[in-house]
Amino acid sequence: MHGTFIYKVLPIDRELVSISSDDSLRVIDPHSLQWSSTDTLGQLHHGVTCLEAWRDRSVLTAGRDGIVKGTDVRSKRNIFGLSQGPESPLLSLACHGNLIAAGTELRNSQALVIVWDSRATSQPLLQYVESHSDDVTELAFHPSQPSCLLSGSTDGLVNLYDTTITDEDDALIQVFNHGSSIAHADFLSDHEVFALSHDEIFSIYDLKDSPGGDTIVNIWTLCLSAVRHLGHWKFQKRCISQADTERKSFGRCAPVMMWVSPVASNIRLPYTTQEKTIFTAGEDGQIKAWRPNGEGNNATKIEEVPPEDKKRKKHKSGDDHERARFKPY
Protein backbone atom coordinates (compact mmCIF):
# COMPACT_ATOMS: atom_id res chain seq x y z
CA MET A 1 0.00 0.00 0.00
CA HIS A 2 2.51 2.54 -1.20
CA GLY A 3 1.85 6.04 0.11
CA THR A 4 -0.88 4.78 2.43
CA PHE A 5 -0.77 4.71 6.22
CA ILE A 6 -2.18 1.65 7.97
CA TYR A 7 -4.10 2.79 11.03
CA LYS A 8 -4.96 -0.56 12.59
CA VAL A 9 -4.85 -4.31 11.92
CA LEU A 10 -6.96 -6.90 13.75
CA PRO A 11 -7.01 -10.70 13.74
CA ILE A 12 -10.57 -11.79 12.96
CA ASP A 13 -11.03 -15.57 13.10
CA ARG A 14 -8.35 -16.85 10.67
CA GLU A 15 -7.85 -13.60 8.77
CA LEU A 16 -6.45 -10.13 9.27
CA VAL A 17 -8.52 -6.99 8.80
CA SER A 18 -6.99 -3.54 8.35
CA ILE A 19 -8.06 0.07 7.87
CA SER A 20 -5.85 2.64 6.20
CA SER A 21 -5.61 6.27 5.14
CA ASP A 22 -7.17 5.56 1.72
CA ASP A 23 -10.44 4.86 3.61
CA SER A 24 -10.37 1.17 2.70
CA LEU A 25 -10.98 -1.97 4.72
CA ARG A 26 -8.96 -4.99 3.61
CA VAL A 27 -9.28 -8.67 4.49
CA ILE A 28 -5.80 -10.20 4.34
CA ASP A 29 -4.62 -13.82 4.36
CA PRO A 30 -2.30 -14.07 7.40
CA HIS A 31 -0.16 -16.76 5.73
CA SER A 32 0.54 -15.14 2.37
CA LEU A 33 -0.24 -11.54 3.45
CA GLN A 34 -1.92 -11.04 0.10
CA TRP A 35 -5.29 -9.65 -0.87
CA SER A 36 -7.20 -8.92 -4.04
CA SER A 37 -9.72 -6.32 -5.15
CA THR A 38 -12.50 -8.63 -3.95
CA ASP A 39 -10.93 -8.51 -0.47
CA THR A 40 -11.06 -4.71 -0.38
CA LEU A 41 -13.98 -2.54 0.63
CA GLY A 42 -13.11 0.95 -0.59
CA GLN A 43 -14.54 4.32 0.38
CA LEU A 44 -15.70 2.84 3.65
CA HIS A 45 -15.85 6.30 5.25
CA HIS A 46 -14.89 9.83 4.46
CA GLY A 47 -11.94 9.70 6.83
CA VAL A 48 -11.94 6.31 8.59
CA THR A 49 -10.64 6.51 12.17
CA CYS A 50 -11.63 3.36 14.12
CA LEU A 51 -11.76 -0.42 13.77
CA GLU A 52 -13.07 -2.87 16.38
CA ALA A 53 -13.91 -6.57 16.36
CA TRP A 54 -17.59 -7.28 16.81
CA ARG A 55 -19.49 -10.58 16.50
CA ASP A 56 -19.86 -13.47 14.05
CA ARG A 57 -16.76 -12.53 12.04
CA SER A 58 -17.91 -8.92 11.81
CA VAL A 59 -16.15 -5.65 12.51
CA LEU A 60 -17.23 -2.12 13.38
CA THR A 61 -15.66 0.96 11.82
CA ALA A 62 -16.18 4.68 12.40
CA GLY A 63 -15.05 7.82 10.64
CA ARG A 64 -14.99 11.56 10.45
CA ASP A 65 -18.24 11.39 8.51
CA GLY A 66 -20.02 10.68 11.83
CA ILE A 67 -21.02 7.14 10.81
CA VAL A 68 -20.49 3.77 12.50
CA LYS A 69 -20.67 0.83 10.11
CA GLY A 70 -20.94 -2.89 10.71
CA THR A 71 -19.20 -5.04 8.09
CA ASP A 72 -19.33 -8.79 7.55
CA VAL A 73 -15.73 -9.92 6.98
CA ARG A 74 -16.77 -13.02 5.06
CA SER A 75 -18.98 -11.29 2.47
CA LYS A 76 -17.22 -7.88 2.60
CA ARG A 77 -20.70 -6.38 2.90
CA ASN A 78 -21.97 -3.57 5.09
CA ILE A 79 -24.55 -4.90 7.55
CA PHE A 80 -25.80 -1.63 9.02
CA GLY A 81 -24.91 2.00 9.59
CA LEU A 82 -25.37 4.27 12.61
CA SER A 83 -25.28 7.95 11.74
CA GLN A 84 -24.70 10.92 13.96
CA GLY A 85 -24.09 13.30 11.07
CA PRO A 86 -20.98 14.96 9.62
CA GLU A 87 -21.08 17.62 12.33
CA SER A 88 -19.84 14.95 14.78
CA PRO A 89 -16.61 13.32 13.50
CA LEU A 90 -15.99 10.07 15.39
CA LEU A 91 -12.60 9.44 17.02
CA SER A 92 -13.20 6.45 19.31
CA LEU A 93 -15.26 3.28 19.30
CA ALA A 94 -16.12 0.39 21.64
CA CYS A 95 -18.65 -2.42 21.72
CA HIS A 96 -19.97 -5.10 24.06
CA GLY A 97 -22.83 -7.38 23.10
CA ASN A 98 -25.58 -5.24 21.62
CA LEU A 99 -24.11 -1.97 22.91
CA ILE A 100 -22.00 0.19 20.60
CA ALA A 101 -20.37 3.39 21.86
CA ALA A 102 -18.63 6.14 19.88
CA GLY A 103 -16.84 9.31 20.94
CA THR A 104 -16.69 12.51 18.90
CA GLU A 105 -14.31 15.31 18.16
CA LEU A 106 -15.08 18.64 19.81
CA ARG A 107 -17.47 20.52 17.53
CA ASN A 108 -19.71 23.47 18.36
CA SER A 109 -18.42 23.40 21.95
CA GLN A 110 -19.60 19.80 22.40
CA ALA A 111 -17.78 16.47 22.57
CA LEU A 112 -20.26 13.59 22.70
CA VAL A 113 -20.27 10.05 23.99
CA ILE A 114 -23.00 8.24 22.02
CA VAL A 115 -24.39 4.78 22.79
CA TRP A 116 -26.53 2.69 20.41
CA ASP A 117 -28.34 -0.60 20.79
CA SER A 118 -27.60 -2.62 17.65
CA ARG A 119 -31.11 -4.08 17.78
CA ALA A 120 -32.68 -0.62 17.39
CA THR A 121 -30.45 1.53 15.21
CA SER A 122 -32.85 4.30 14.19
CA GLN A 123 -31.63 6.58 16.98
CA PRO A 124 -29.05 6.53 19.79
CA LEU A 125 -29.93 4.85 23.05
CA LEU A 126 -27.98 7.49 25.03
CA GLN A 127 -25.98 10.65 24.47
CA TYR A 128 -23.67 12.24 27.01
CA VAL A 129 -23.00 15.79 25.87
CA GLU A 130 -21.62 17.63 28.90
CA SER A 131 -19.17 15.22 30.54
CA HIS A 132 -16.20 16.12 28.32
CA SER A 133 -14.99 19.48 27.05
CA ASP A 134 -12.63 18.18 24.34
CA ASP A 135 -12.12 15.28 21.89
CA VAL A 136 -13.19 11.85 23.20
CA THR A 137 -10.16 9.71 22.38
CA GLU A 138 -10.89 6.43 24.21
CA LEU A 139 -13.88 4.26 25.10
CA ALA A 140 -14.11 0.88 26.85
CA PHE A 141 -16.78 -1.28 28.45
CA HIS A 142 -16.27 -2.88 31.86
CA PRO A 143 -15.12 -6.52 31.38
CA SER A 144 -17.83 -8.07 33.56
CA GLN A 145 -20.43 -5.30 33.90
CA PRO A 146 -21.10 -4.07 30.35
CA SER A 147 -23.51 -1.40 31.60
CA CYS A 148 -20.43 0.44 32.90
CA LEU A 149 -18.74 2.51 30.18
CA LEU A 150 -15.37 4.30 30.42
CA SER A 151 -14.43 7.35 28.35
CA GLY A 152 -11.16 9.28 28.07
CA SER A 153 -10.62 12.68 26.52
CA THR A 154 -8.01 15.28 25.65
CA ASP A 155 -9.55 17.35 28.44
CA GLY A 156 -7.63 15.03 30.81
CA LEU A 157 -10.69 13.32 32.30
CA VAL A 158 -11.48 9.63 32.52
CA ASN A 159 -15.19 9.12 33.19
CA LEU A 160 -17.26 6.12 34.22
CA TYR A 161 -20.96 5.97 33.30
CA ASP A 162 -23.83 3.71 34.23
CA THR A 163 -25.53 3.29 30.86
CA THR A 164 -28.72 2.03 32.48
CA ILE A 165 -29.35 5.61 33.64
CA THR A 166 -30.70 8.12 31.14
CA ASP A 167 -29.96 11.37 32.98
CA GLU A 168 -26.35 12.35 32.31
CA ASP A 169 -25.67 13.84 35.75
CA ASP A 170 -26.85 10.66 37.46
CA ALA A 171 -25.21 8.36 34.91
CA LEU A 172 -21.75 9.87 35.55
CA ILE A 173 -20.69 7.76 38.51
CA GLN A 174 -16.94 8.39 38.73
CA VAL A 175 -14.48 10.93 37.34
CA PHE A 176 -10.70 10.81 37.37
CA ASN A 177 -8.74 13.95 36.45
CA HIS A 178 -5.51 12.64 34.97
CA GLY A 179 -4.25 16.19 34.49
CA SER A 180 -3.27 15.86 30.82
CA SER A 181 -4.63 14.66 27.49
CA ILE A 182 -5.69 10.99 27.52
CA ALA A 183 -4.12 8.76 24.85
CA HIS A 184 -5.26 5.40 26.27
CA ALA A 185 -7.50 4.29 29.13
CA ASP A 186 -9.13 0.98 29.90
CA PHE A 187 -10.14 -1.44 32.62
CA LEU A 188 -7.11 -3.34 33.84
CA SER A 189 -9.34 -5.66 35.86
CA ASP A 190 -12.79 -5.59 37.42
CA HIS A 191 -11.47 -3.23 40.08
CA GLU A 192 -8.70 -1.25 38.39
CA VAL A 193 -8.53 1.39 35.68
CA PHE A 194 -5.41 2.66 33.97
CA ALA A 195 -4.78 5.84 32.01
CA LEU A 196 -1.92 6.96 29.78
CA SER A 197 -1.58 10.54 28.63
CA HIS A 198 -0.09 11.87 25.42
CA ASP A 199 2.81 13.28 27.46
CA GLU A 200 3.49 9.71 28.66
CA ILE A 201 2.21 9.85 32.25
CA PHE A 202 0.76 6.50 33.30
CA SER A 203 -1.51 5.88 36.29
CA ILE A 204 -3.44 2.99 37.78
CA TYR A 205 -6.61 3.72 39.74
CA ASP A 206 -8.26 1.36 42.17
CA LEU A 207 -12.04 1.10 42.12
CA LYS A 208 -12.48 0.29 45.78
CA ASP A 209 -16.18 -0.23 45.30
CA SER A 210 -18.14 -1.67 42.42
CA PRO A 211 -18.50 0.49 39.27
CA GLY A 212 -21.56 2.00 40.96
CA GLY A 213 -19.53 3.08 44.00
CA ASP A 214 -18.11 6.46 44.87
CA THR A 215 -14.42 5.83 45.43
CA ILE A 216 -11.60 5.92 42.93
CA VAL A 217 -8.09 6.03 44.35
CA ASN A 218 -4.85 6.90 42.58
CA ILE A 219 -2.55 3.98 43.38
CA TRP A 220 0.53 5.22 41.59
CA THR A 221 1.78 7.36 38.77
CA LEU A 222 4.96 7.22 36.73
CA CYS A 223 6.40 8.53 33.50
CA LEU A 224 6.85 6.01 30.72
CA SER A 225 9.46 7.40 28.35
CA ALA A 226 8.62 6.95 24.67
CA VAL A 227 5.74 4.67 25.60
CA ARG A 228 4.20 5.17 22.17
CA HIS A 229 6.89 2.86 20.76
CA LEU A 230 6.02 -0.09 23.03
CA GLY A 231 3.49 -1.49 20.60
CA HIS A 232 -0.22 -2.11 20.57
CA TRP A 233 -1.98 -1.19 23.78
CA LYS A 234 -3.53 -4.63 24.29
CA PHE A 235 0.00 -6.07 24.23
CA GLN A 236 1.17 -3.48 26.77
CA LYS A 237 -1.79 -4.32 28.96
CA ARG A 238 -0.48 -7.87 29.41
CA CYS A 239 2.72 -6.45 30.92
CA ILE A 240 0.83 -3.89 32.99
CA SER A 241 -1.28 -6.66 34.51
CA GLN A 242 1.94 -7.95 36.12
CA ALA A 243 2.45 -4.64 37.90
CA ASP A 244 3.07 -4.82 41.65
CA THR A 245 0.82 -2.01 42.85
CA GLU A 246 2.08 -2.34 46.43
CA ARG A 247 5.71 -1.81 45.47
CA LYS A 248 4.79 0.49 42.59
CA SER A 249 6.80 -1.47 40.06
CA PHE A 250 6.32 -3.67 37.01
CA GLY A 251 7.00 -7.36 37.04
CA ARG A 252 9.55 -8.56 34.50
CA CYS A 253 7.83 -9.14 31.18
CA ALA A 254 10.23 -11.44 29.32
CA PRO A 255 10.53 -10.72 25.60
CA VAL A 256 9.10 -13.35 23.29
CA MET A 257 11.17 -12.14 20.37
CA MET A 258 13.29 -9.22 19.26
CA TRP A 259 14.13 -7.88 15.81
CA VAL A 260 15.62 -4.92 14.01
CA SER A 261 13.66 -3.32 11.19
CA PRO A 262 14.73 -0.63 8.72
CA VAL A 263 11.37 1.08 9.30
CA ALA A 264 11.31 0.69 13.07
CA SER A 265 10.34 4.32 13.60
CA ASN A 266 7.14 3.73 11.63
CA ILE A 267 6.10 0.34 12.97
CA ARG A 268 3.04 0.06 15.15
CA LEU A 269 0.28 -2.35 16.12
CA PRO A 270 1.82 -5.79 16.72
CA TYR A 271 -0.55 -8.72 17.07
CA THR A 272 0.21 -12.26 18.19
CA THR A 273 -1.69 -15.25 16.82
CA GLN A 274 -1.87 -18.80 18.09
CA GLU A 275 0.93 -19.67 15.69
CA LYS A 276 3.22 -17.34 17.71
CA THR A 277 3.43 -14.90 14.85
CA ILE A 278 3.52 -11.16 15.36
CA PHE A 279 2.09 -8.91 12.66
CA THR A 280 3.24 -5.31 12.39
CA ALA A 281 1.87 -2.49 10.28
CA GLY A 282 2.67 1.16 10.00
CA GLU A 283 3.11 4.38 8.12
CA ASP A 284 5.15 2.69 5.39
CA GLY A 285 1.94 1.03 4.19
CA GLN A 286 3.23 -2.51 4.73
CA ILE A 287 2.12 -5.40 6.90
CA LYS A 288 4.88 -7.77 8.01
CA ALA A 289 4.85 -11.10 9.82
CA TRP A 290 7.52 -12.18 12.29
CA ARG A 291 8.17 -15.53 13.94
CA PRO A 292 10.93 -16.77 16.31
CA ASN A 293 13.83 -18.72 14.81
CA GLY A 294 13.52 -21.78 16.95
CA GLU A 295 15.07 -20.94 20.31
CA GLY A 296 16.25 -17.56 21.44
CA ASN A 297 14.83 -14.11 20.89
CA ASN A 298 15.65 -13.60 17.23
CA ALA A 299 12.93 -13.37 14.63
CA THR A 300 12.65 -13.62 10.91
CA LYS A 301 10.44 -11.78 8.49
CA ILE A 302 8.07 -14.25 6.82
CA GLU A 303 6.28 -12.17 4.27
CA GLU A 304 5.48 -8.57 3.58
CA VAL A 305 2.80 -6.91 1.58
CA PRO A 306 4.18 -5.65 -1.75
CA PRO A 307 3.41 -2.01 -2.52
CA GLU A 308 0.46 -1.62 -4.87
CA ASP A 309 1.13 -0.18 -8.28
CA LYS A 310 -1.98 1.92 -8.51
CA LYS A 311 -1.86 5.43 -7.16
CA ARG A 312 -3.69 6.28 -4.00
CA LYS A 313 -5.79 9.36 -3.63
CA LYS A 314 -4.06 12.30 -2.06
CA HIS A 315 -5.70 13.96 0.90
CA LYS A 316 -6.17 17.68 0.86
CA SER A 317 -4.19 19.72 3.29
CA GLY A 318 -5.88 21.80 5.91
CA ASP A 319 -7.15 21.66 9.44
CA ASP A 320 -9.57 18.81 8.77
CA HIS A 321 -6.81 16.58 7.42
CA GLU A 322 -4.48 17.45 10.27
CA ARG A 323 -7.18 16.34 12.72
CA ALA A 324 -8.13 13.26 10.72
CA ARG A 325 -6.05 11.17 13.13
CA PHE A 326 -5.29 12.62 16.53
CA LYS A 327 -1.58 13.52 16.51
CA PRO A 328 -0.40 14.69 19.93
CA TYR A 329 3.25 14.98 18.93
Side-chain angles (χ1 to χ4, degrees):
M1 288 182 280
H2 185 63
T4 302
F5 290 6
I6 299 175
Y7 292 149
K8 192 170 185 177
V9 59
L10 284 178
I12 303 295
D13 195 16
R14 298 180 180 180
E15 297 173 303
L16 299 177
V17 178
S18 72
I19 57 171
S20 50
S21 59
D22 62 355
D23 292 338
S24 295
L25 181 145
R26 290 176 175 83
V27 180
I28 301 165
D29 185 321
H31 301 289
S32 66
L33 293 186
Q34 300 294 320
W35 71 88
S36 66
S37 59
T38 59
D39 297 322
T40 302
L41 188 59
Q43 297 300 305
L44 190 65
H45 292 275
H46 294 294
V48 65
T49 55
C50 306
L51 171 68
E52 295 293 335
W54 197 39
R55 59 171 80 163
D56 301 328
R57 297 192 65 193
S58 299
V59 296
L60 297 175
T61 58
R64 295 185 57 78
D65 50 12
I67 299 174
V68 176
K69 291 184 179 181
T71 301
D72 185 287
V73 173
R74 183 183 293 106
S75 65
K76 288 81 175 177
R77 180 177 59 87
N78 288 330
I79 307 169
F80 64 84
L82 309 172
S83 178
Q84 188 60 23
E87 69 277 3
S88 302
L90 300 178
L91 302 180
S92 51
L93 187 64
C95 56
H96 193 296
N98 294 315
L99 295 179
I100 299 171
T104 75
E105 179 182 289
L106 180 68
R107 285 289 180 92
N108 301 320
S109 302
Q110 286 188 331
L112 283 65
V113 175
I114 310 160
V115 181
W116 288 273
D117 186 325
S118 62
R119 297 167 297 183
T121 60
S122 58
Q123 62 182 9
L125 180 67
L126 297 165
Q127 291 191 74
Y128 301 134
V129 301
E130 298 178 349
S131 299
H132 287 295
S133 59
D134 212 337
D135 300 350
V136 180
T137 55
E138 191 77 292
L139 290 168
F141 284 96
H142 191 278
S144 63
Q145 300 187 44
S147 62
C148 181
L149 175 66
L150 173 151
S151 66
S153 168
T154 54
D155 62 9
L157 300 181
V158 175
N159 295 337
L160 294 181
Y161 311 89
D162 184 344
T163 59
T164 64
I165 301 175
T166 304
D167 182 79
E168 183 170 353
D169 290 338
D170 295 334
L172 186 61
I173 53 178
Q174 292 184 344
V175 179
F176 156 54
N177 188 349
H178 192 66
S180 54
S181 174
I182 299 297
H184 297 289
D186 201 347
F187 294 96
L188 184 59
S189 68
D190 282 355
H191 304 288
E192 291 176 320
V193 168
F194 62 81
L196 173 68
S197 63
H198 287 110
D199 57 0
E200 299 169 351
I201 300 300
F202 173 80
S203 297
I204 294 179
Y205 299 87
D206 185 15
L207 281 65
K208 292 295 185 182
D209 301 312
S210 65
D214 298 320
T215 305
I216 184 164
V217 178
N218 186 349
I219 295 181
W220 52 297
T221 301
L222 72 161
C223 180
L224 296 179
S225 177
V227 73
R228 61 190 180 275
H229 296 305
L230 288 180
H232 191 273
W233 187 243
K234 298 301 181 184
F235 177 77
Q236 297 175 42
K237 184 174 174 180
R238 291 164 58 188
C239 294
I240 293 170
S241 65
Q242 300 180 28
D244 185 336
T245 55
E246 295 297 327
R247 298 183 179 182
K248 300 183 180 182
S249 63
F250 285 104
R252 186 171 183 267
C253 193
V256 177
M257 60 183 73
M258 299 176 64
W259 64 86
V260 177
S261 168
V263 291
S265 61
N266 292 329
I267 280 183
R268 62 178 73 165
L269 314 173
Y271 259 98
T272 306
T273 70
Q274 292 182 350
E275 285 110 6
K276 296 183 179 180
T277 302
I278 287 182
F279 297 95
T280 59
E283 296 174 3
D284 59 356
Q286 294 187 340
I287 298 175
K288 298 184 179 182
W290 310 78
R291 184 176 296 162
N293 284 331
E295 298 180 358
N297 292 326
N298 294 324
T300 183
K301 181 175 66 178
I302 302 173
E303 296 284 353
E304 69 181 55
V305 174
E308 294 185 353
D309 294 331
K310 65 179 182 180
K311 295 182 179 179
R312 297 293 182 189
K313 68 175 184 179
K314 295 183 178 180
H315 290 275
K316 296 180 181 179
S317 59
D319 293 340
D320 283 346
H321 177 54
E322 290 300 319
R323 293 175 66 84
R325 297 289 292 178
F326 186 75
K327 298 179 181 179
Y329 300 98

